[in-house]
Amino acid sequence: SYFVPFTFLGNSLAPLPYDGAVVYLGARHSLWLIVGIAVAATLVIEAWNMELLSRLLAREGTRAFRNHRITRWSLHWYRKAPFWSLVLTCVLPLVPHYPMRFLAVLAGYPLWKYQASVILGRGTRYAGLVIVGATIPIPGTWLLVASLIILGFGVRGARRMNRGAEALPEEA
């Protein structure tokens, strides 16, 4: 029952590490149940993410971001293989998926294709995590501690980014 909201948070714009929960549940429930619920919940929150980002990125205040040379360069490379770029960032835990959401919106990538990439990518990732949980006995406390450490690194990184942004002089 807690898994759906936890998956929402883990795939929202305010992420929480939820991979440990998938591994934990993999030891207790069937692969198809966990993957099915996780993918369905992810599709709902991703539709919300894309709608929110579409509205935010359409605002006048984001023009500098949209026109920034790094954004343009990223869009150039993203457009070469958008579907597979999305799938890979959904599967690989070390490659962040968050920038790809922005690129998908800026490129006008169709929601149905985006969602298909999420099904393939996240479905594969969730299945792998469930298999780990089903085959390797990892104590729940270890998974919790690992998730909290990952969350701590994420919070630390976000604070460093915010400090860097505060140190920059404002443009007139």
Side-chain angles (χ1 to χ4, degrees), residues 45-122:
I45 199 65
E46 287 294 355
W48 180 83
N49 285 338
M50 298 308 281
E51 177 65 25
L52 177 64
L53 285 175
S54 294
R55 291 173 186 236
L56 288 174
L57 292 172
R59 299 182 77 153
E60 185 62 31
T62 63
R63 181 185 296 190
F65 172 77
R66 292 189 317 259
N67 294 328
H68 194 277
R69 66 178 177 81
I70 293 175
T71 304
R72 292 281 155 215
W73 179 83
S74 300
L75 273 168
H76 168 77
W77 287 104
Y78 169 80
R79 286 186 173 117
K80 293 194 179 287
F83 183 82
W84 293 110
S85 298
L86 291 166
V87 170
L88 286 176
T89 59
C90 282
V91 173
L92 301 173
L94 300 176
V95 180
H97 184 66
Y98 295 94
M100 299 307 280
R101 290 179 177 123
F102 286 86
L103 294 174
V105 168
L106 291 173
Y109 199 65
L111 181 61
W112 74 268
K113 287 183 180 180
Y114 179 85
Q115 294 289 51
S117 74
V118 168
I119 291 168
L120 183 58
R122 287 290 192 226

Side-chain angles (χ1 to χ4, degrees), residues 23 62 131 144 148:
V23 172
T62 63
I131 290 168
L144 178 62
L148 291 174

